[in-house]
């Protein structure tokens, strides 16, 4: 395993090197979690579970780091554990070659969805056998711990198993950020009271892993939860979740980061006043600032679905030569957002997207003009 973790000194060193070599403007890096985070991060969700995409992702990580990206995001279920292993292979090559130091790179992964290993199950029976033999028969979990047809779990014993596998896949002694993956998946099935109890037990486990040095921070990576309105079945209140973390570990808790989709087509994080703080309804990004929580944006180009659909007048305001650059520029420029994650496994896309490292984010006046 590669020892160490991302540190304030290491990430500042990385930022300073890229700025001094004119590969990035100073505004490309943001201070959050005590770290210097690149405003564009590399995501690893899409792709085939095969050796070709394994190699593509490994090469993409190498190139992204060279071009000024020090935020890498993955999950154990992405491509059936292969994305984590691709990131791990790239990190090993980076550190062994001296092209980067471990303390310069911020790595996040996720646990919650049951991952098959290496390839999709051939049948529902094969998946059921995997669940039975891996988790139920050894006594790691009970059937009641699982939701979504046996596909989601956040019981401490399950997370223990998954975190150990993620550390092995990534080859890291310490994972910088560990996300509970779409916990809102369980809410409609178990109800709010049981959901809060499960979340509390998960946070107690994760605080223990911080103490053991196996993770540095933890959070929630969501799809619907933080974008929905109060009253919807899978709505998540950031204030309530922060209160649970505080009940578990006091003001020094390590629930310090969240992830949700933010892009030109999914604007809820800044446009909807669906979160409450001090008795007032405010936007999610404002609430995150109130509660001291860092925000990663996922799906910054909506898996390519915003490309070719940006109106001409909007395109003129957004900096960039391509729609991908314009969409990323929009997301990374939103106040209160630390990093815009973009799925990248093709080297031309890495180079196209990270050309923005040399471009400042949009000023607030330009963002307002987009919606005038």
């Amino acid at each position: 395993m590669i020892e160490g973790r991302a540190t304030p000194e290491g990430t500042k060193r990385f930022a300073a090197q890229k700025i001094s070599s004119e590969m990035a403007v100073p505004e490309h890096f943001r201070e959050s979690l005590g770290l210097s985070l690149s405003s564009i991060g590399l995501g690893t969700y899409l792709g085939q579970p095969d050796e070709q995409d394994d190699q593509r992702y490994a090469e993409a990580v190498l190139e992204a780091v060279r071009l000024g990206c020090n935020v890498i995001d993955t999950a154990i279920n992405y491509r059936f554990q292969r994305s984590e292993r691709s990131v791990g292979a790239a990190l090993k090559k980076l550190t062994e070659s001296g092209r980067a130091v471990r303390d310069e790179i911020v790595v996040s992964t996720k646990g919650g969805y049951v991952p098959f290993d290496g390839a999709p199950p051939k049948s529902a029976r094969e998946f059921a056998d995997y669940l039975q033999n891996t988790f139920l028969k050894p006594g790691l979990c009970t059937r009641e711990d699982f939701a979504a047809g046996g596909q989601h779990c956040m019981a401490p014993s399950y997370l223990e198993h998954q975190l150990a596998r993620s550390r092995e896949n990534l080859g890291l002694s310490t994972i910088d950020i560990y996300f509970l993956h779409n916990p809102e998946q369980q809410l409609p099935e178990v109800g709010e009271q049981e959901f809060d109890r499960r979340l509390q037990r998960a946070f107690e486990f994760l605080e223990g892993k911080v103490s053991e040095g196996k993770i540095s921070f933890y959070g929630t990576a969501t799809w619907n939860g933080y974008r929905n309105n109060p009253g919807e079945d899978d709505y998540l209140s950031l204030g309530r979740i922060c209160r649970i973390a505080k009940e578990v570990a006091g003001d020094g808790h390590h629930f310090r980061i969240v992830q949700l989709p933010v892009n030109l087509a999914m604007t809820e994080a800044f446009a909807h006043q669906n979160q409450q703080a001090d008795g007032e309804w405010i936007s999610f990004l404002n609430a995150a600032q109130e509660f001291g929580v860092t925000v990663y944006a996922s799906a910054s180009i909506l898996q390519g679905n915003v490309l070719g659909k940006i109106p001409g007048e909007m395109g003129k305001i957004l900096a960039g030569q391509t729609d991908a650059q314009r969409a990323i520029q929009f997301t990374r420029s939103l106040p209160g957002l630390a990093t815009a994650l973009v799925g990248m496994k093709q080297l031309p896309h890495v180079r196209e997207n990270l050309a923005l490292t040399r471009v400042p984010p949009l000023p607030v006046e330009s963002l307002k003009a987009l919606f005038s």
Side-chain angles (χ1 to χ4, degrees), residues 208-277:
K209 295 303 153 185
V210 172
S211 298
E212 293 174 16
K214 293 179 179 176
I215 62 174
S216 295
F217 303 98
Y218 63 91
T220 47
T222 69
W223 190 256
N224 291 325
Y226 293 129
R227 297 187 302 112
N228 282 346
N229 292 316
E232 295 188 62
D233 284 346
D234 54 357
Y235 167 78
L236 292 177
S237 162
L238 182 60
R240 190 176 84 242
I241 292 174
C242 287
R243 284 195 296 273
I244 292 171
K246 191 172 181 179
E247 289 168 3
V248 168
D251 290 334
H253 66 81
H254 294 83
F255 175 80
R256 296 298 181 190
I257 184 164
V258 296
Q259 188 179 136
L260 78 164
V262 189
N263 53 62
L264 282 163
M266 301 168 81
T267 60
E268 297 90 348
F270 65 91
H272 287 192
Q273 294 182 330
N274 66 346
Q275 297 289 327
Q276 200 167 28

Side-chain angles (χ1 to χ4, degrees), residues 334-349:
L334 292 170
L337 197 145
T339 297
L341 298 171
V342 188
M344 296 182 272
K345 66 176 185 292
Q346 304 284 355
L347 291 181
H349 292 162

Side-chain angles (χ1 to χ4, degrees), residues 154-175:
M154 53 185 184
S157 54
Y158 174 81
L159 295 174
E160 178 88 62
H161 178 277
Q162 295 291 279
L163 176 59
R165 179 60 63 89
S166 288
R167 291 173 65 238
E168 179 183 338
N169 288 341
L170 290 164
L172 297 179
S173 64
T174 303
I175 293 171

Side-chain angles (χ1 to χ4, degrees), residues 283-303:
S283 73
F284 180 84
L285 288 178
N286 285 339
Q289 288 182 313
E290 286 288 324
F291 294 119
V293 174
T294 296
V295 181
Y296 278 3
S298 61
S300 296
I301 61 173
L302 194 54
Q303 297 157 14

Side-chain angles (χ1 to χ4, degrees), residues 131-202:
L131 200 70
Q132 177 70 26
N133 295 328
T134 308
F135 303 108
L136 301 178
K137 190 175 180 180
L140 287 176
C141 308
T142 66
R143 196 166 293 278
E144 289 71 30
D145 289 327
F146 290 87
Q151 296 185 57
H152 194 277
C153 185
M154 53 185 184
S157 54
Y158 174 81
L159 295 174
E160 178 88 62
H161 178 277
Q162 295 291 279
L163 176 59
R165 179 60 63 89
S166 288
R167 291 173 65 238
E168 179 183 338
N169 288 341
L170 290 164
L172 297 179
S173 64
T174 303
I175 293 171
D176 300 303
I177 298 162
Y178 193 79
F179 289 110
L180 290 180
H181 201 174
N182 290 1
E184 72 268 33
Q185 183 89 51
Q186 299 206 8
L187 246 175
E189 290 187 35
V190 305
E192 189 171 297
Q193 185 174 353
E194 173 62 13
F195 177 81
D196 287 356
R197 187 189 72 84
R198 293 186 178 196
L199 204 60
Q200 182 173 5
R201 291 177 64 221

Side-chain angles (χ1 to χ4, degrees), residues 1-6 13-14 58 61-62 65-66 72 86-107 170-174 176:
M1 291 219 180
I2 301 171
E3 298 295 328
R5 67 183 74 198
R13 183 194 320 122
F14 181 90
V61 171
L62 297 175
V65 171
R66 184 184 74 84
I72 312 296
S86 295
V87 171
L91 293 172
K92 182 178 181 183
K93 187 172 288 188
L94 280 169
T95 55
E96 288 183 348
S97 67
R99 282 183 273 178
V101 183
R102 170 66 186 101
D103 66 0
E104 298 174 338
I105 311 299
V106 184
V107 181
L170 290 164
L172 297 179
S173 64
T174 303
D176 300 303

